[in-house]
Amino acid sequence: MKTHDVQSISIAKPFAEVFEYIADPAHLPEWTNAFKSADAETAELVTPNGAVPIQLETRAFAEQGTVDWIMTFPDGAVGAAYSRVTEDAHDTSIYSFVLMAPPVPLELLEGALEEQKMTLAKELVSLKTRLEA
């Protein structure tokens, strides 16, 4: 059973602009469906059962272009999302995102990941649209 998905999108903006925007967790609610609010330490994650407060750690390293998020849920479960901004030609960047399976029981894993894959594809288009506007 697959436990991850990798997606990417080209964004017609320079690396520095794309990285700066993505690395700021306060921007997560603007381009993702998963976050109602977010800051440097906490977030409200949107779930089918309502918003859930979580601890949010953002690990951003411009030298490598990486922006990773570690999410700790109220029950102690930990989820992660890994991403990277790569400089491309002509002031264009490539944003790639490794979607990890959510911390859910095994019997729910495949369906949850499939749903999140579709959501991520839409979120990447939203990010591209926002940054290129």
Side-chain angles (χ1 to χ4, degrees):
M1 177 185 318
K2 193 169 179 182
T3 60
H4 71 282
D5 182 59
V6 180
Q7 296 183 38
S8 66
I9 196 161
S10 180
I11 300 172
K13 286 291 181 181
F15 169 89
E17 287 181 48
V18 175
F19 182 85
E20 182 180 324
Y21 182 85
I22 293 169
D24 184 347
H27 292 297
L28 286 167
E30 297 171 3
W31 64 276
T32 71
N33 295 331
F35 292 93
K36 182 175 180 180
S37 64
D39 60 35
E41 297 178 359
T42 62
E44 279 189 273
L45 195 62
V46 177
T47 73
N49 298 323
V52 175
I54 63 168
Q55 292 178 351
L56 179 66
E57 178 185 355
T58 302
R59 298 176 182 168
F61 299 97
E63 301 81 26
Q64 293 85 20
T66 58
V67 182
D68 302 333
W69 296 276
I70 309 302
M71 299 160 282
T72 304
F73 295 85
D75 66 358
V78 177
Y82 305 102
S83 72
R84 179 177 210 124
V85 179
T86 305
E87 188 172 14
D88 200 7
H90 311 294
D91 284 335
T92 299
S93 301
I94 302 165
Y95 181 56
S96 55
F97 193 99
V98 179
L99 177 65
M100 302 302 293
V104 298
L106 187 58
E107 64 271 10
L108 301 176
L109 184 61
E110 194 163 326
L113 184 59
E114 286 301 315
E115 184 175 322
Q116 286 188 345
K117 284 169 52 174
M118 291 184 291
T119 299
L120 176 60
K122 293 174 187 171
E123 290 172 340
L124 293 179
V125 171
S126 173
L127 175 66
K128 176 182 176 73
T129 301
R130 178 173 292 279
L131 287 174
E132 291 180 352

